[in-house]
């Protein structure tokens, strides 16, 4: 099966950069979002990043131009899905929203098209069950920011075929990313489960008054050699993203240990979501941390 056209659904923090990776790898790529302004923002952001890559000598101006020529944008899901060979879903982390989308994809995409989900936590069998092609549904989990982070977790469900897994691994390689295949699905996969355990402990210690969040970050960096503290990392990836992940996990397990912490809930309610809103745990002035 030859993959020539990739469709990325959702042009947020993750989707727009995954689409750029795909175009840089030479795939004919379409980026779809329900929100026109998300597509506009995606275009501007990618232009800015690629201009920087040219200035730094990472790519040539010609390569940048030829990659952008492969990338189109649309709000029309039918047009975006109907001739794609491989679809990567990167919409909001809500299982109902993703299931609604997968139903539409089932309707509009070709019968042999593979559906990959970039979800941080939702296992693909939950999405595959609304389609007629469970063997062609897989998790393809990139890390933030996808244009920088060199790792993709590829996760099979019991029904995902070896062929689908192989194609997804091959595409990850073409996107210049190190791909790791997980043989069994588990909510949160590997990296986020390990990270989640660390963040849960960090927030527990803060919420129960053992230390200030800045000092917890400092200890992780100085004593554990982490490049970035757990609170700084929450700000970077979006406090709401982590919150939805915990909510989703809690809904699946019912385990009180998975319940989102009150201080996280408060940040989400106040709209203090991290770098993207200028305030989260820390305050930001154009990409700078104000301690
Ligand atoms: N942010 C991270 O660090 C990170 C890392 C890895 C994976 N993920 C996963 O990637 C996915 C997207 O996360 P994000 O941080 O890019 O979110 P985001 O909120 O930045 O972007 C989501 C985008 O999806 C669009 N959207 C919502 N419903 C849609 C629909 N039905 N059809 C088309 N577009 C739709 C929204 O308009 C928005 O532009 C989530 O599943 C998340 O778990 C996030």
């Amino acid at each position: 099966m030859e993959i020539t056209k990739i469709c990325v659904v959702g042009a947020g923090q993750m989707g727009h950069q995954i689409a750029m990776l795909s175009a840089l790898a030479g795939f004919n790529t379409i980026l779809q979002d329900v929100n026109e302004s998300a597509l506009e923002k995606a275009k501007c952001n990618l232009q800015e990043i690629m201009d920087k890559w040219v200035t730094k000598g990472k790519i040539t101006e010609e390569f940048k131009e030829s990659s952008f020529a492969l990338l189109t944008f649309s709000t029309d899901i039918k047009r975006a899905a109907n001739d794609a060979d491989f679809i990567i879903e990167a919409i909001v982390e809500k299982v109902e929203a993703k299931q609604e989308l997968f139903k539409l994809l089932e309707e509009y995409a070709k019968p042999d098209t593979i559906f990959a989900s970039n979800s941080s936590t939702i296992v693909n069998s939950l999405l595959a069950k609304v389609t007629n092609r469970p063997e062609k549904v897989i998790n393809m989990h990139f890390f933030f920011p996808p244009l920088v982070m060199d790792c993709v977790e590829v996760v099979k469900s019991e029904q995902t075929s070896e062929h689908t897994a192989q194609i997804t691994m091959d595409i990850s390689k073409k996107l210049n990313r190190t791909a790791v295949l997980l043989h069994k699905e588990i909510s949160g996969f590997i990296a986020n489960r390990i990270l989640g355990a660390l963040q849960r402990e960090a927030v527990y210690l803060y919420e129960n008054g053992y230390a200030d969040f800045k000092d917890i970050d400092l200890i992780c960096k100085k004593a554990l050699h982490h490049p970035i503290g757990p609170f700084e990392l929450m700000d970077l990836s979006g406090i709401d993203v982590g919150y939805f992940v915990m909510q989703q996990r809690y809904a699946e397990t019912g385990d009180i240990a998975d319940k989102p912490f009150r201080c996280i809930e408060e940040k989400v309610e106040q709209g203090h979501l991290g770098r993207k809103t200028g305030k989260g745990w820390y305050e930001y002035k154009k990409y700078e941390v104000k301690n």
Side-chain angles (χ1 to χ4, degrees), residues 23-87:
L24 288 166
F27 292 106
N28 197 342
T29 307
I30 186 159
L31 176 60
Q32 190 273 351
D33 200 290
V34 283
N35 192 341
E36 182 74 53
S37 64
L39 293 173
E40 285 307 319
K41 195 170 157 202
K43 267 184 226 174
C44 291
N45 200 29
L46 291 175
Q47 198 68 52
E48 214 175 287
I49 299 171
M50 290 302 112
D51 285 345
K52 274 193 200 139
W53 280 24
V54 172
T55 310
K56 285 184 186 162
K58 278 179 93 169
I59 54 170
T60 62
E61 180 67 28
E62 295 69 38
F63 185 68
K64 182 192 91 176
E65 293 301 332
S66 63
S67 301
F68 272 119
L70 290 172
L71 182 58
T72 51
F73 301 83
S74 177
T75 52
D76 183 346
I77 187 65
K78 188 172 181 181
R79 178 167 95 80
N82 74 4
D83 60 347
D85 305 307
F86 194 93
I87 299 179

Side-chain angles (χ1 to χ4, degrees), residues 223-270:
L224 304 178
H225 270 206
H226 290 187
I228 181 171
F231 294 92
E232 289 170 324
L233 188 56
M234 281 182 247
D235 274 1
L236 187 65
S237 52
I239 294 175
D240 55 332
V241 175
Y243 174 70
F244 290 141
V245 168
M246 287 176 92
Q247 258 193 337
Q248 175 63 31
R249 177 97 46 89
Y250 183 49
E252 276 175 40
T253 64
D255 184 346
I256 199 77
D258 292 327
K259 194 170 187 270
F261 286 95
R262 187 66 206 127
C263 61
I264 300 276
E265 225 158 35
E266 272 168 16
K267 295 259 178 239
V268 174
E269 281 162 11
Q270 291 160 356

Side-chain angles (χ1 to χ4, degrees), residues 9-15 32-35 38 89-93 97-98 101 118-121 141-144 237 241 245 276:
V9 185
Q13 293 197 92
M14 296 299 291
Q32 190 273 351
D33 200 290
V34 283
N35 192 341
E89 167 278 310
I91 70 165
V92 60
E93 186 71 349
K98 289 187 193 287
L101 173 67
N118 177 53
S119 170
S120 303
T121 179
H141 180 220
F142 291 83
F143 290 85
F144 177 81
S237 52
V241 175
V245 168
K276 62 185 173 187

Side-chain angles (χ1 to χ4, degrees), residues 161-218:
S161 71
E162 290 294 337
H163 180 65
T164 297
Q166 191 55 55
I167 287 178
T168 309
M169 293 294 284
D170 290 348
I171 290 176
S172 306
K173 217 170 168 185
K174 284 193 184 143
L175 302 190
N176 211 10
R177 289 293 167 266
T178 301
V180 181
L181 181 64
L182 277 66
H183 302 283
K184 276 203 295 189
E185 55 175 25
I186 182 165
S187 168
F189 321 122
I190 304 285
N192 280 346
R193 289 186 74 87
I194 293 174
L195 182 65
L198 175 82
Q199 285 184 341
R200 255 195 313 282
E201 189 60 24
V203 177
Y204 169 84
L205 292 168
Y206 165 71
E207 195 162 271
N208 288 282
Y210 291 98
D212 188 66
F213 69 87
K214 287 179 190 165
D215 291 330
I216 297 172
D217 274 353
L218 193 63

